[in-house]
Amino acid sequence: MFWYKITPLDILLFRDSKPFSPGEGSWAKGLFPPMPITVFQALRSCLINHNTREERKKRDLDFIGAFLLDKDNTLWLPTPKDLVCLYPKGVDRKVASDGWVEIHRLQPISDDSEIWKHLVFSDEQIKPLVVNKKWDGTISPPKPWIKAQALFDYLQGKKNDKNWAKDDFISNPWDNQVLPHTQMQLDKRQVKDSEGYFTEVAVRLREGWSLVAGFSEDISENVVRLGGEGHRALITKLDVSLNEVNTALKQQLKHLSSNHSTENELPDKSKYAYLLTPGLALVEESKYGCYPQGWKQNLQACATDKALLWGGVSTFRKDYENKPSKEEFAFLPQRAFVPPGTMYLFNDELTTNQQVLPNGDSNWLETFRKLNYGKLLWGKF
């Protein structure tokens, strides 16, 4: 796996799944960081021998990413969703975002807990996660990005409630940029009365920040199109044999592309997993959840966030009164991906389907596997 630094030369725009058309109130938001396949396609465009129709059908390339890299070559990954900050009473978490005194790991509810004994939870559902501690202050999630080294320490069990550092976490290192658009009437210097206005929301990475991704082909420095509107990014190889990449980053990148999350192998029976890249958990046909249906009997708890909806061309069936139903064309979200940073706690070691992906032999599933969707890093609980 070769590693590449992807430095935007302009703003970036990656459309989300919301159906969009010009008109009053049209507001096209974006998704950032981009989905793996978007960055993969940008890197593949640098390969001359992979630009034919026949070559594009082959699934012979591997990819992982994209992650965040700062100006000091520090790698940042999504913060685990089972962490919360404990703020003292009277501290406003919105004003003093680093005013927390502890980082607490959410725990599955205990059946014999005095606090929860009067509440009944369904045996058919996994256990809720709660703060297993009395606290008079405010409780809030930490900042959305965590240093890779801090994450690896957490998975190894080296981090407890009180030995986190304030700089282990950061806020999103980008700013939104609103782009208003207007459409003029033909032969007139006036905006159309209808369908004449729409707005896009792009992102601009802050100075010194870039994306980093692993790719199985060796490519030279290049400028590629990344995302919508023809925006460009500079692709440069991170040569891990040179001094420009520090030893810590070399080890971290190696861990991300291997089957282990830490420098030493984890115990044989690891029951705790961190989702590194977007996963796809099929519950029923065209219905998605936060974990694969086959895990339910073995899953003790799950901490996640709202799904990443990925749009596309689809069809839906409309029922008419006293008339046969009819399929109609539509732009609808096709898949709901589990967000990176989701945490899973199992009752026993997970021996099958160790990716958050459905089982099957479809071509699109093979694509997800080659692009490392649903990759898990294992840790201690």
Side-chain angles (χ1 to χ4, degrees):
M1 191 75 77
F2 301 93
W3 288 91
Y4 297 94
K5 188 176 180 179
I6 305 164
T7 307
L9 302 177
D10 199 349
I11 59 175
L12 295 174
L13 179 61
F14 305 99
R15 289 274 180 86
D16 65 4
S17 63
K18 180 183 176 182
F20 171 79
S21 61
E24 185 177 354
S26 294
W27 188 269
K29 291 184 178 180
L31 178 68
F32 195 85
M35 296 294 278
I37 196 168
T38 304
V39 183
F40 165 75
Q41 296 287 13
L43 293 179
R44 188 172 68 169
S45 68
C46 299
L47 304 177
I48 298 175
N49 60 342
H50 277 73
N51 287 332
T52 64
R53 184 180 181 88
E54 291 73 21
E55 290 294 330
R56 286 198 296 269
K57 289 182 179 180
K58 294 180 180 178
R59 290 167 172 82
D60 57 346
L61 300 174
D62 294 298
F63 173 88
I64 186 169
F67 312 112
L68 287 174
L69 196 67
D70 68 16
K71 61 181 179 180
D72 298 319
N73 275 343
T74 300
L75 184 65
W76 295 85
L77 302 173
T79 298
K81 306 296 184 186
D82 62 344
L83 293 179
V84 290
C85 296
L86 304 185
Y87 291 83
K89 192 174 183 179
V91 174
D92 187 343
R93 60 179 177 82
K94 295 182 179 179
V95 176
S97 59
D98 287 330
W100 49 267
V101 292
E102 289 183 26
I103 297 285
H104 190 77
R105 170 186 272 177
L106 296 175
Q107 305 283 333
I109 225 168
S110 175
D111 294 332
D112 56 357
S113 170
E114 286 294 319
I115 300 175
W116 303 100
K117 67 180 181 180
H118 299 296
L119 294 179
V120 178
F121 299 98
S122 172
D123 293 334
E124 298 179 357
Q125 303 297 328
I126 60 175
K127 293 183 178 180
L129 287 166
V130 298
V131 177
N132 191 20
K133 180 176 183 175
K134 291 184 179 180
W135 189 256
D136 294 332
T138 307
I139 300 173
S140 177
K143 293 177 179 178
W145 296 93
I146 185 174
K147 282 183 180 177
Q149 190 56 58
L151 173 66
F152 294 141
D153 288 344
Y154 179 54
L155 293 177
Q156 284 182 306
K158 296 179 180 178
K159 291 285 190 181
N160 56 46
D161 291 357
K162 298 181 180 180
N163 68 348
W164 292 92
K166 302 293 184 181
D167 61 358
D168 283 338
F169 305 92
I170 58 163
S171 301
N172 292 333
W174 65 83
D175 299 301
N176 290 332
Q177 186 159 336
V178 178
L179 307 173
H181 298 268
T182 57
Q183 187 175 359
M184 307 299 291
Q185 296 183 36
L186 294 177
D187 302 324
K188 295 182 180 180
R189 298 181 63 183
Q190 294 180 341
V191 177
K192 285 185 176 181
D193 292 334
S194 62
E195 299 186 355
Y197 301 90
F198 70 97
T199 303
E200 293 176 312
V201 182
V203 300
R204 186 181 294 276
L205 269 176
R206 291 172 186 162
E207 185 177 357
W209 284 86
S210 60
L211 297 171
V212 62
F215 189 48
S216 58
E217 291 290 317
D218 190 359
I219 58 179
S220 57
E221 183 172 294
N222 212 327
V223 174
V224 298
R225 176 180 172 178
L226 183 62
E229 307 297 334
H231 299 146
R232 304 282 169 167
L234 175 66
I235 308 295
T236 53
K237 188 177 179 181
L238 272 176
D239 194 337
V240 295
S241 64
L242 300 179
N243 291 330
E244 68 179 42
V245 179
N246 57 51
T247 304
L249 181 58
K250 292 178 187 178
Q251 289 295 327
Q252 291 161 11
L253 295 176
K254 180 181 177 181
H255 298 158
L256 295 185
S257 58
S258 71
N259 293 326
H260 304 291
S261 64
T262 56
E263 187 171 352
N264 300 315
E265 286 194 22
L266 294 168
D268 292 336
K269 295 184 178 180
S270 182
K271 304 176 184 178
Y272 182 65
Y274 164 90
L275 183 62
L276 177 66
T277 55
L280 195 65
L282 192 64
V283 177
E284 298 173 7
E285 184 179 358
S286 300
K287 182 179 178 182
Y288 302 93
C290 58
Y291 55 88
Q293 189 68 12
W295 288 5
K296 190 172 182 180
Q297 297 302 318
N298 191 28
L299 189 63
Q300 187 178 152
C302 172
T304 189
D305 203 346
K306 61 182 180 181
L308 304 176
L309 299 180
W310 193 244
V313 176
S314 185
T315 59
F316 70 96
R317 185 173 293 276
K318 184 178 288 187
D319 294 326
Y320 297 93
E321 212 175 304
N322 301 324
K323 293 182 181 179
S325 60
K326 179 182 178 183
E327 283 193 350
E328 296 189 11
F329 172 85
F331 289 99
L332 296 173
Q334 291 179 320
R335 298 185 176 97
F337 288 90
V338 187
T342 295
M343 305 300 300
Y344 300 100
L345 179 62
F346 300 94
N347 294 309
D348 299 302
E349 181 186 9
L350 189 66
T351 56
T352 59
N353 192 20
Q354 295 199 3
Q355 270 185 289
V356 186
L357 288 176
N359 293 316
D361 300 317
S362 303
N363 285 336
W364 60 270
L365 269 175
E366 181 60 23
T367 297
F368 286 154
R369 293 189 188 101
K370 297 291 284 184
L371 302 187
N372 272 294
Y373 276 81
K375 182 177 177 65
L376 294 171
L377 302 182
W378 294 90
K380 303 175 182 178
F381 189 81

